[in-house]
Amino acid sequence: QVQLVESGGGSAQADGSLRLSCQAFGYISYMCMAWFRQTPGKEREGVAVIDTKGTSTYADFVKGRFTISQNNAKSVLYLQMNSLKPEDTAMYYCAAGVFGCRLLPHDYSRWGQGTQVTVSS
């Protein structure tokens, strides 16, 4: 059973930076891993995805500001978030999927419990 555990969330000022990590515990066979975010009352939205070849895709609202990456063993997923904006405030989730690899929640079968990011102006 794969377990995904996020860390690195917290508070930041606008234009600041944070780096999120997602540790995968247990054997994992997947095609892609991704970051999603969600605020109360809104649907979960895709932020960035990376496949096993290292190809990444970003949502338009984070292009040029966020970078998704993995360690060499592909057991840790990162999200480097720069030039943060108050609208980036959300619970951030990592996810692993075996098909699709789009920025759509239903492409992913394993989810972490989330880490909160709060950006103040």
Side-chain angles (χ1 to χ4, degrees), residues 9-29:
S11 298
Q13 296 285 327
D15 294 326
S17 298
L18 285 172
R19 188 175 83 154
L20 305 183
S21 299
C22 172
Q23 175 75 55
F25 295 94
Y27 174 75
I28 182 168
S29 175

Side-chain angles (χ1 to χ4, degrees), residues 11-74:
S11 298
Q13 296 285 327
D15 294 326
S17 298
L18 285 172
R19 188 175 83 154
L20 305 183
S21 299
C22 172
Q23 175 75 55
F25 295 94
Y27 174 75
I28 182 168
S29 175
Y30 63 93
M31 283 185 63
C32 49
M33 293 191 72
W35 288 99
F36 285 78
R37 69 186 189 185
Q38 189 170 23
T39 54
K42 293 189 177 180
E43 294 186 355
R44 194 166 295 189
E45 60 181 1
V47 174
V49 57
I50 187 167
D51 65 19
T52 53
K53 297 180 181 179
T55 301
S56 56
T57 303
Y58 296 90
D60 287 344
F61 52 79
V62 301
K63 281 182 180 176
R65 300 189 299 123
F66 291 9
T67 302
I68 190 171
S69 62
Q70 291 179 292
N71 66 342
N72 288 338
K74 294 184 171 54

Side-chain angles (χ1 to χ4, degrees), residues 60-117:
D60 287 344
F61 52 79
V62 301
K63 281 182 180 176
R65 300 189 299 123
F66 291 9
T67 302
I68 190 171
S69 62
Q70 291 179 292
N71 66 342
N72 288 338
K74 294 184 171 54
S75 61
V76 183
L77 180 71
Y78 301 102
L79 185 68
Q80 178 66 42
M81 305 187 295
N82 298 329
S83 301
L84 284 164
K85 303 176 181 181
E87 51 263 44
D88 294 320
T89 296
M91 184 71 77
Y92 283 74
Y93 299 89
C94 72
V98 294
F99 70 94
C101 296
R102 298 167 294 178
L103 290 173
L104 298 172
H106 62 254
D107 279 3
Y108 300 86
S109 56
R110 291 285 183 264
W111 293 85
Q113 293 195 332
T115 185
Q116 178 68 38
V117 170

